[in-house]
């Protein structure tokens, strides 16, 4: 079993994807540096396995001069692999979308159309960027949504912007899931 918490793996994947989408090399390098520093706190490092476009996170102790030393690998389960080509399974994405659409409907029933519109934007973010159910979002993913995705992609009205955090609270409420604490609250 890997020594990396799920949230660290998710963050490493997010930073790797941001580095790939970066417009210039300095921005990409900054994302990769951030990822590498976070992984180093746990004694891990990252590499991309090009043959199948997979992010591989493994203990730094497995390396010597940047090359994995096979005799140092005591337990392969300590490594984590994340496909960077999406889930690879269209049915998986369809299942996630179906679930998230049902959550949006429940938000609309409970809180009204404006909150449902915000929930729909969040459903698109979680489904398209992470291929996951909305209520599995980490604090960092919520902050990414509020800081980056929402202002650039939602084209929200002033009324929507004013209640977006409350809309997210409704998402977690209707799924009976505790909402992670968010420090970058959008007002």
């Amino acid at each position: 079993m890997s020594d990396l918490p799920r949230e660290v793996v998710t963050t490493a994947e997010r930073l790797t994807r941001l580095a790939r989408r970066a417009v210039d090399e300095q921005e990409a390098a900054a994302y990769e540096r951030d990822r590498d520093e976070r992984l180093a706190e746990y004694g891990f490092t990252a590499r991309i396995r090009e043959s199948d476009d997979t992010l591989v996170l493994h203990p730094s102790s497995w390396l010597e001069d940047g090359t994995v030393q096979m005799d140092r690998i005591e337990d392969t389960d300590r490594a984590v692999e994340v496909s960077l080509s999406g889930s690879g399974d269209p049915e998986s994405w369809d299942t996630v979308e179906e679930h998230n659409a049902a959550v949006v409907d429940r938000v609309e029933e409970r809180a009204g159309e404006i909150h449902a519109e915000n929930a729909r934007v969040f459903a698109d973010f979680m489904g398209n960027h992470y291929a996951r159910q909305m209520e599995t979002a980490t604090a960092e993913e919520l902050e990414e949504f509020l800081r980056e995705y929402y202002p650039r992609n939602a084209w929200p009205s002033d009324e929507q912007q004013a209640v977006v955090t409350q809309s997210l609270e409704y998402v977690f409420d209707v799924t009976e899931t505790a909402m992670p604490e968010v420090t970058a609250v959008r007002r």
Side-chain angles (χ1 to χ4, degrees):
M1 197 71 186
S2 174
D3 304 328
L4 284 175
R6 183 177 77 87
E7 190 162 311
V8 174
V9 173
T10 300
T11 299
E13 177 186 2
R14 179 179 63 82
L15 291 169
T16 300
R17 290 182 186 280
L18 288 171
R20 287 179 151 198
R21 290 193 301 255
V23 177
D24 66 55
E25 290 179 21
Q26 289 180 341
E27 182 184 9
Y31 286 128
E32 290 171 350
R33 200 169 32 255
D34 187 8
R35 176 198 64 203
D36 294 344
E37 288 170 3
R38 291 169 189 250
L39 290 171
E41 291 177 25
Y42 292 88
F44 273 68
T45 190
R47 71 178 181 86
I48 306 294
R49 188 172 56 222
E50 301 292 338
S51 63
D52 61 357
D53 199 29
T54 298
L55 173 65
V56 181
L57 310 175
H58 60 81
S60 302
S61 62
W62 293 3
L63 295 175
E64 184 176 306
D65 298 326
T67 303
V68 173
Q69 302 300 307
M70 299 307 282
D71 62 330
R72 293 185 181 179
I73 301 174
E74 66 285 350
D75 181 6
T76 57
D77 287 343
R78 291 188 66 208
V80 177
E81 296 186 357
V82 179
S83 173
L84 296 173
S85 299
S87 70
D89 179 3
E91 288 182 27
S92 173
W93 186 88
D94 289 341
T95 302
V96 167
E97 173 54 28
E98 186 177 303
H99 171 85
N100 288 347
V103 171
V104 171
D105 290 344
R106 291 199 315 261
V107 167
E108 185 168 22
E109 289 169 13
R110 180 172 292 179
E113 186 177 337
I114 195 153
H115 291 291
E117 290 170 0
N118 282 335
R120 180 69 254 168
V121 175
F122 185 56
D124 291 342
F125 169 75
M126 286 301 294
N128 294 334
H129 289 268
Y130 295 103
R132 292 200 341 261
Q133 297 176 351
M134 300 159 74
E135 67 272 19
T136 67
T138 65
E140 287 187 342
E141 290 163 350
L142 288 170
E143 289 178 11
E144 177 189 4
F145 172 75
L146 291 169
R147 277 193 212 153
E148 299 173 25
Y149 187 89
Y150 188 77
R152 294 181 187 159
N153 298 290
W155 298 92
S157 66
D158 290 342
E159 188 179 5
Q160 279 179 278
Q161 286 180 342
V163 298
V164 65
T165 302
Q166 187 179 9
S167 300
L168 294 175
E169 290 170 359
Y170 283 123
V171 166
F172 285 88
D173 192 40
V174 301
T175 58
E176 299 179 357
T177 307
M179 181 173 163
E181 223 172 288
V182 179
T183 56
V185 177
R186 181 163 172 77
R187 303 254 182 240

